Amino acid sequence: MLQDIFELPGPESNSIVGSLVDLGNDPLGFLTRCAREYGDIVPMRLGLTPACLITNPNYIEQVLKDREAFIKSRGFRVLKTLLGEGLLTAEGDSWLWQRRLAQPVFHQTRINGYAGAMVDYAEQMIATWRDREIRDIHADMMRLTLRIVMKTIFNAQVDEGEAKTVAHALDVAMHWFESKRRQNFLVWEWFPRPENIRYRHAIAEMDEAIYSLIQHKRNSGKETEDLLSMLMHARDEETGQQMNDKQLRDEVATLMLAGHETTANALSWTWMLLSEHPHVRSKLHSELDRVLAGRSPTVEDIPQLRYTDMVIKESMRLYPPVSIFGREAARDCTIGEYEVPEGCLIQISQWVMHRHPRYFENPLGFQPERWEDNLEKRLPRGVYIPFGDGPRICIGKGFALMEAVLLLATIAQKFQLDVLPDFPIVPQPSITLRPESGIKVQIEQLSGVAKNK
């Protein structure tokens, strides 16, 4: 017997805005409370929009697998002004065609070829560091991962001005999206408010830089191993169709956002957690000394860097790169045994699921050892989803995991990072989960085997 989800208990909402204020003021705390108090599916109203939070992993898997019944949410579709019709925002046949064309580009054997550049850029960065200096490690990770993604996309030392233009546009976009999220996207981007003008101007500058790089690549006539060249030469096996410049621009913008923002955030939270848990940091250093003995890591070392990998997994559990995302019911449908109306916003929160006491012992503890004995495979699908799941699982998952392990190994064997006492670190759940004011650390150069190359 099917039941209307809005017959289920949910948070009180006695005004016209429903739960908008609670969600806008503290989305992570509000959704966590809803999950603990109401269970597997929690109905709510966000202004005039019907919505629900789902925490049953079977429901999550159903929603993520059915890309036709559950499309990207309205809030996420706002990103099309930044990302166009890239893989992150496209729907239906358009998305399927792009995914089929791009999939071979992200084959693991291809992306393994970028490992050397990742390590080189990390070593160039830490060569400028000085013992005992204070740094904003989030800003450092953002710059580092942007350099890496620009190198892997364009296979060149991209002009510093172009890189800064892209970084500025993405930063403006993140702040703009967060402000719109707080307003439930009721103030449209075309309205001539100062933040909207800055947003459109930043996108225009980014477009100019990206199209210039695409044109330069076309004019060179060379087929190289960078991502742009591979996307440019990818051809649909059935139709022979290739991506035009607009489609390439959208994929490049998507790769730059997803390919540097998420990894930078994951590493930033990792440095914070390691600073808070010296015993974990000590075990990490012991593994790096044993496996690397002071030399630079390579992709061949990754299978031996098991604890390093577990540190990354546990960091992404507590501070997932994306903490909340939504789908919208494209038609009247069901989730499990519940009826869901067309237009309903279905909220899924990695923050909530990754910290759920039903699935994780000591859920708020930082315990990389919990990932021993294939915990990830033993968990129900839909519980641990830092890269999403279903047909739209992040295409760059292998790239991001390899990058995170290699960068952590490269930096941690040379430096210890300690968060400044009393520095306020506030998670900001925007498109990604950023530290709102960065993360200030004091760095300490390590001695002994971890310092010698």
Side-chain angles (χ1 to χ4, degrees):
M1 182 72 177
L2 293 175
Q3 183 178 2
D4 187 328
I5 61 165
F6 292 98
E7 295 176 356
L8 297 172
E12 292 184 8
S13 55
N14 297 322
S15 70
I16 193 170
V17 297
S19 297
L20 268 181
V21 174
D22 291 330
L23 186 65
N25 288 341
D26 181 17
L28 301 178
F30 172 68
L31 293 180
T32 298
R33 290 192 298 275
C34 286
R36 302 299 181 264
E37 292 176 18
Y38 300 108
D40 288 355
I41 187 163
V42 186
M44 63 186 72
R45 193 167 45 79
L46 304 177
L48 299 177
T49 303
C52 65
L53 169 71
I54 54 174
T55 62
N56 182 314
N58 293 329
Y59 299 166
I60 291 173
E61 277 304 289
Q62 178 191 342
V63 169
L64 294 184
K65 283 181 179 178
D66 193 343
R67 62 181 180 84
E68 294 183 356
F70 303 101
I71 60 175
K72 292 295 179 79
S73 62
R74 184 183 72 173
F76 204 86
R77 294 199 299 271
V78 170
L79 272 180
K80 288 191 176 187
T81 53
L82 173 69
L83 304 180
E85 292 289 336
L87 274 175
L88 210 56
T89 51
E91 297 284 358
D93 292 341
S94 173
W95 171 83
L96 184 60
W97 180 79
Q98 290 167 246
R99 181 83 181 204
R100 191 168 61 228
L101 216 58
Q103 192 70 55
V105 174
F106 287 89
H107 192 278
Q108 193 67 44
T109 55
R110 282 187 182 270
I111 66 174
N112 284 351
Y114 302 126
M118 294 172 178
V119 173
D120 287 346
Y121 280 165
E123 291 181 336
Q124 289 174 29
M125 178 188 72
I126 60 178
T128 68
W129 287 6
R130 296 294 175 262
D131 192 32
R132 311 301 296 172
E133 73 176 331
I134 293 172
R135 306 191 64 90
D136 179 349
I137 196 61
H138 180 245
D140 282 340
M141 295 299 98
M142 291 287 281
R143 283 190 292 269
L144 173 59
T145 57
L146 180 63
R147 286 192 72 202
I148 291 169
V149 80
M150 296 289 272
K151 171 68 174 177
T152 56
I153 292 174
F154 301 108
N155 193 35
Q157 294 281 359
V158 175
D159 178 82
E160 186 176 340
E162 291 172 327
K164 285 183 177 178
T165 296
V166 171
H168 172 69
L170 295 176
D171 195 53
V172 169
M174 297 297 288
H175 288 293
W176 180 88
F177 189 88
E178 171 62 11
S179 70
K180 295 294 152 290
R181 182 194 64 77
R182 290 179 181 274
Q183 301 162 14
N184 196 37
F185 303 97
L186 295 176
V187 180
W188 303 108
E189 64 267 26
W190 50 260
F191 195 76
R193 292 167 63 97
E195 67 268 26
N196 291 343
I197 294 170
R198 284 195 299 272
Y199 176 62
R200 292 199 302 270
H201 183 66
I203 291 174
E205 288 188 327
M206 184 181 75
D207 283 354
E208 184 177 352
I210 292 176
Y211 279 120
S212 173
L213 290 162
I214 290 172
Q215 193 57 49
H216 177 76
K217 180 68 67 176
R218 285 206 187 279
N219 291 342
S220 73
K222 297 178 181 177
E223 185 171 354
T224 50
E225 289 300 307
D226 55 274
L227 295 178
L228 176 58
S229 182
M230 286 188 278
L231 287 171
M232 193 175 285
H233 290 90
R235 189 181 298 273
D236 190 290
E237 292 182 359
E238 296 177 6
T239 66
Q241 186 179 354
Q242 294 177 287
M243 291 188 185
N244 59 33
D245 282 3
K246 173 63 167 62
Q247 290 166 327
L248 288 169
R249 175 263 175 220
D250 293 348
E251 296 304 345
V252 166
T254 299
L255 288 172
M256 286 192 295
L257 174 65
H260 100 97
E261 174 87 24
T262 53
T263 306
N265 290 338
L267 286 167
S268 299
W269 296 118
T270 301
W271 296 122
M272 181 197 75
L273 289 164
L274 289 171
S275 174
E276 293 173 347
H277 299 84
H279 66 287
V280 174
R281 184 165 63 188
S282 178
K283 288 187 68 172
L284 172 66
H285 287 157
S286 294
E287 177 177 87
L288 297 177
D289 286 349
R290 175 176 53 80
V291 175
L292 302 176
R295 63 175 173 79
S296 302
T298 67
V299 69
E300 288 78 16
D301 293 314
I302 290 178
Q304 281 71 53
L305 295 172
R306 292 294 306 124
Y307 194 71
T308 309
D309 179 66
M310 288 190 285
V311 167
I312 294 293
K313 277 191 172 67
E314 180 71 345
S315 173
M316 289 195 299
R317 183 186 71 82
L318 285 170
Y319 293 90
V322 176
S323 58
I324 306 166
F325 67 103
R327 292 288 188 266
E328 182 180 305
R331 57 178 181 268
D332 291 346
C333 55
T334 62
I335 298 177
E337 61 271 30
Y338 300 103
E339 295 178 330
V340 176
E342 178 181 351
C344 184
L345 170 64
I346 296 102
Q347 299 174 97
I348 299 169
S349 173
Q350 291 94 327
W351 178 277
V352 170
M353 297 305 297
H354 291 188
R355 293 165 171 246
H356 205 303
R358 185 185 303 164
Y359 307 107
F360 297 100
E361 186 178 346
N362 186 19
L364 302 185
F366 182 54
Q367 299 173 347
E369 294 81 4
R370 76 171 78 238
W371 296 100
E372 294 174 340
D373 302 322
N374 287 318
L375 172 63
E376 191 168 359
K377 292 183 178 179
R378 290 186 281 114
L379 288 169
R381 293 282 296 270
V383 171
Y384 182 70
I385 48 173
F387 296 96
D389 208 344
R392 298 196 70 141
I393 190 170
C394 176
I395 197 171
K397 176 182 178 181
F399 181 100
L401 288 174
M402 178 180 75
E403 181 180 24
V405 169
L406 289 174
L407 297 187
L408 179 60
T410 301
I411 299 167
Q413 69 169 334
K414 303 283 183 66
F415 286 91
Q416 177 173 297
L417 284 61
D418 292 297
V419 175
L420 296 186
D422 303 320
F423 182 81
I425 301 175
V426 180
Q428 182 189 64
S430 182
I431 304 170
T432 62
L433 186 67
R434 281 182 160 195
E436 189 171 28
S437 303
I439 298 177
K440 290 289 183 69
V441 300
Q442 184 173 55
I443 62 173
E444 178 183 346
Q445 192 165 9
L446 299 176
S447 58
V449 68
K451 184 180 173 181
N452 301 320
K453 275 190 83 173

